[in-house]
Amino acid sequence: MASLPLATAELCDVNAGLITTGDLRALEPIFRIYGRRQIFAGPVVTLKIFEDNVLLREFLEEKGHGRVLVVDGGGSIRCAVLGGNLAQLAQNNGWAGIVVNGCIRDVDEINGCDVGVRALNSHPMKSNKKGVGEKHAPVTIAGTRICDGEWLYADSDGILISRSELTL
């Protein structure tokens, strides 16, 4: 795992060639910053869901081993798919971060957890519990295609996706 902190701006500056080839991509700046861990990085695990968080919970119940869960929630702003209990589970199981193309809730609880969280916004309503979704599928969020095994780097400047682990 990358030694932190790796500043996203600096990663862009020293890896211009990877940007040109598409091996290093920046997500559109649409995410809000939550959680105590403001800077995080790790290998990506992907999940595609819509207003249902059963599969998200299943992932977070596993040991994270410093990975980052990237959740394509379809951009829904009608309910939250991540709350304080799941953020606590992520912290306890060693996940570095969670990026949600959707909403979260229990913001104060999440902000108390030592895990990085990025989401579109907060919403007080909880999600459905049907177990519908797709694990380990490529997702496209914030203008970027993201696959299992790629690397994610996040700080207050933004979020980068790389085909491989980066060093400075």
Side-chain angles (χ1 to χ4, degrees), residues 52-122:
D52 185 326
N53 73 352
V54 171
L55 298 181
L56 193 151
R57 174 179 282 281
E58 286 179 9
F59 262 129
L60 297 178
E61 287 174 341
E62 300 173 11
K63 292 296 180 192
H65 303 290
R67 295 177 294 170
V68 177
L69 182 57
V70 175
V71 181
D72 182 0
S76 173
I77 55 171
R78 299 189 308 187
C79 68
V81 295
L82 178 75
N85 291 336
L86 292 183
Q88 184 69 47
L89 191 60
Q91 172 189 288
N92 293 346
N93 285 332
W95 290 85
I98 308 162
V99 176
V100 180
N101 184 30
C103 289
I104 65 167
R105 69 184 202 163
D106 306 323
V107 170
D108 292 338
E109 290 177 41
I110 290 173
N111 285 341
C113 291
D114 185 22
V115 65
V117 177
R118 302 293 187 271
L120 298 179
N121 217 320
S122 59

Side-chain angles (χ1 to χ4, degrees):
M1 182 159 154
S3 59
L4 298 178
L6 289 176
T8 58
E10 192 171 357
L11 286 172
C12 288
D13 292 350
V14 300
N15 291 290
L18 295 177
I19 294 170
T20 302
T21 63
D23 290 333
L24 179 61
R25 290 110 47 215
L27 272 63
E28 295 168 351
I30 60 173
F31 295 97
R32 293 179 180 226
I33 298 173
Y34 303 96
R36 255 189 11 235
R37 193 175 297 184
Q38 299 293 300
I39 300 170
F40 60 95
V44 167
V45 178
T46 59
L47 175 63
K48 189 180 291 191
I49 57 175
F50 187 74
E51 298 180 357
D52 185 326
N53 73 352
V54 171
L55 298 181
L56 193 151
R57 174 179 282 281
E58 286 179 9
F59 262 129
L60 297 178
E61 287 174 341
E62 300 173 11
K63 292 296 180 192
H65 303 290
R67 295 177 294 170
V68 177
L69 182 57
V70 175
V71 181
D72 182 0
S76 173
I77 55 171
R78 299 189 308 187
C79 68
V81 295
L82 178 75
N85 291 336
L86 292 183
Q88 184 69 47
L89 191 60
Q91 172 189 288
N92 293 346
N93 285 332
W95 290 85
I98 308 162
V99 176
V100 180
N101 184 30
C103 289
I104 65 167
R105 69 184 202 163
D106 306 323
V107 170
D108 292 338
E109 290 177 41
I110 290 173
N111 285 341
C113 291
D114 185 22
V115 65
V117 177
R118 302 293 187 271
L120 298 179
N121 217 320
S122 59
H123 196 294
M125 294 177 68
K126 67 181 180 179
S127 69
N128 296 314
K129 308 282 189 245
K130 296 178 183 174
V132 177
E134 193 173 357
K135 293 181 175 182
H136 306 290
V139 298
T140 300
I141 61 173
T144 303
R145 186 171 193 262
I146 306 168
C147 299
D148 253 34
E150 293 190 298
W151 277 74
L152 183 143
Y153 300 86
D155 64 13
S156 56
D157 284 335
I159 302 171
L160 297 176
I161 301 294
S162 174
R163 293 202 199 289
S164 59
E165 184 176 6
L166 299 175
T167 57
L168 290 178

